[in-house]
Amino acid sequence: MKRLSFIPVVLLVLALFSCSVEKDYVIKIQTKHGDMYAVLFDETPKHKQNFIELAEAGRFDSTEFHRIIKDFMIQGGDVFTKEKLPANTWPTIEAEIVPGLIHKKGMIAAARMDDKVNPEKRSSGSQFYIVQGKTYAPDELVTDMELLSETYFKYIQLGSNVALKEEYARLYEAQQFDSLRQRMLSEKANLEAFYNLNLEEPMTPKQVQTYTTIGGTPHLDGEYTVFGEVIKGLDVMEKIASVQTGQRGKPLDPIYMKVTVELISKAKISKEFGYVYEINK
């Protein structure tokens, strides 16, 4: 009986030991505005391996955060332009779009060409972006805002809606976009009835909870591969997102990066960064 009771204890100890030595890569992105630390997801193995290989080879070093859009994202890592490779030889990665991996603030995702030339949604072989985004009201999240905007604009062209058209023009010219968005939302039920369509946007409870509290860019969900998350240094991302930019979001003062990786135990990652490993699906 003593032997039988001893076996489960041994197995438990071995299991705990196994967890304690399980390791993962921590990504460090160094910039003049500070350092960001990130982990990459096992659910997107091709993107994880590709990023680590580029970083270990030093190929990200001296690339820039070359495209910045405040309240949206910061994009960088253009390895192939830095290396002067012909554009037609730039490698891409098969999309790994996992439903549970959403565009929460701080997530890392792969840039890509648009659907017209890239219907398979294949990712860039090097360029990535870090989500800044914003928080949303619940009614915005459960509404297809793009379709609402298109329908509302068509609706105000009708001769019976001159007042709405004038209001639209006034709010747009004054750049009062929040007020304009609320005005369109207030007409949602009327538009659905008038055009006999559904303007609802399906959202999971996780998405609603995330985007109403932490924030992010929900309209990108399901369209781009999310493959990592910043676990320390979100304040650095915020600083970068606030810099002055010129044409196409390029910073007036270049922001270069150096990217390194370190393989350490998951227990240490959790302790030092407060990151909780969980299934993201």
Side-chain angles (χ1 to χ4, degrees):
M1 293 295 293
K2 289 183 178 181
R3 281 189 174 184
L4 290 174
S5 63
F6 178 70
I7 292 174
V9 174
V10 172
L11 293 176
L12 177 61
V13 171
L14 289 174
L16 291 173
F17 178 76
S18 175
C19 290
S20 68
V21 297
E22 190 175 0
K23 295 183 177 182
D24 197 5
Y25 289 92
V26 171
I27 310 299
K28 183 179 181 180
I29 304 173
Q30 297 171 266
T31 76
K32 64 183 179 183
H33 294 284
D35 302 336
M36 292 175 282
Y37 297 82
V39 293
L40 306 181
F41 301 136
D42 291 334
E43 294 92 338
T44 54
K46 295 175 184 176
H47 286 72
K48 181 171 185 172
Q49 180 180 354
N50 179 71
F51 192 100
I52 290 169
E53 288 177 354
L54 289 173
E56 289 183 326
R59 296 177 70 186
F60 279 125
D61 298 351
S62 299
T63 61
E64 303 177 45
F65 281 104
H66 63 271
R67 181 171 177 248
I68 295 172
I69 302 176
K70 186 172 174 56
D71 296 328
F72 184 34
M73 57 87 216
I74 62 174
Q75 180 175 333
D78 189 358
V79 169
F80 309 132
T81 294
K82 183 196 79 169
E83 295 176 346
K84 296 182 173 56
L85 298 179
N88 61 355
T89 67
W90 293 0
T92 59
I93 309 171
E94 180 183 351
E96 296 179 297
I97 299 174
V98 179
L101 297 177
I102 62 177
H103 282 76
K104 177 180 72 174
K105 179 179 180 179
M107 288 295 200
I108 300 173
R112 67 174 179 84
M113 301 293 285
D114 65 37
D115 288 353
K116 291 180 181 179
V117 296
N118 180 29
E120 295 180 348
K121 305 184 192 302
R122 294 184 66 90
S123 300
S124 164
S126 72
Q127 291 190 47
F128 64 93
Y129 59 92
I130 302 174
V131 176
Q132 182 189 32
K134 63 176 186 176
T135 56
Y136 290 80
D139 57 349
E140 293 180 87
L141 288 174
V142 296
T143 301
D144 186 333
M145 293 302 294
E146 183 176 351
L147 181 57
L148 174 67
S149 180
E150 292 175 0
T151 306
Y152 186 81
F153 190 77
K154 180 170 65 173
Y155 184 66
I156 64 177
Q157 306 308 314
L158 301 177
S160 57
N161 294 324
V162 173
L164 285 178
K165 186 174 183 179
E166 291 176 348
E167 180 186 28
Y168 180 96
R170 176 177 57 79
L171 292 173
Y172 189 87
E173 186 175 354
Q175 296 189 343
Q176 296 180 5
F177 300 123
D178 287 339
S179 297
L180 181 56
R181 185 165 54 250
Q182 291 304 316
R183 188 68 184 89
M184 289 191 294
L185 285 167
S186 72
E187 292 289 337
K188 177 182 175 182
N190 291 336
L191 294 172
E192 288 181 320
F194 188 85
Y195 288 105
N196 190 28
L197 51 72
N198 182 7
L199 294 172
E200 291 294 306
E201 180 79 80
M203 278 273 170
T204 67
K206 176 182 177 180
Q207 286 174 299
V208 174
Q209 172 67 19
T210 297
Y211 294 130
T212 56
T213 56
I214 300 170
T217 55
H219 64 284
L220 298 182
D221 288 348
E223 296 296 323
Y224 294 77
T225 296
V226 176
F227 67 94
E229 181 176 5
V230 174
I231 58 176
K232 182 180 179 182
L234 278 178
D235 58 320
V236 176
M237 181 271 290
E238 298 280 11
K239 290 177 185 177
I240 295 173
S242 297
V243 302
Q244 286 189 307
T245 59
Q247 291 185 344
R248 307 180 78 174
K250 187 172 180 62
L252 299 182
D253 187 13
I255 302 171
Y256 295 100
M257 71 178 78
K258 178 180 175 64
V259 182
T260 56
V261 297
E262 182 180 5
L263 185 62
I264 60 179
S265 74
K266 288 186 175 181
K268 185 176 180 180
I269 293 171
S270 296
K271 181 178 180 180
E272 291 192 5
F273 298 97
Y275 181 72
V276 178
Y277 280 91
E278 60 183 353
I279 297 176
N280 291 285
K281 298 179 181 179

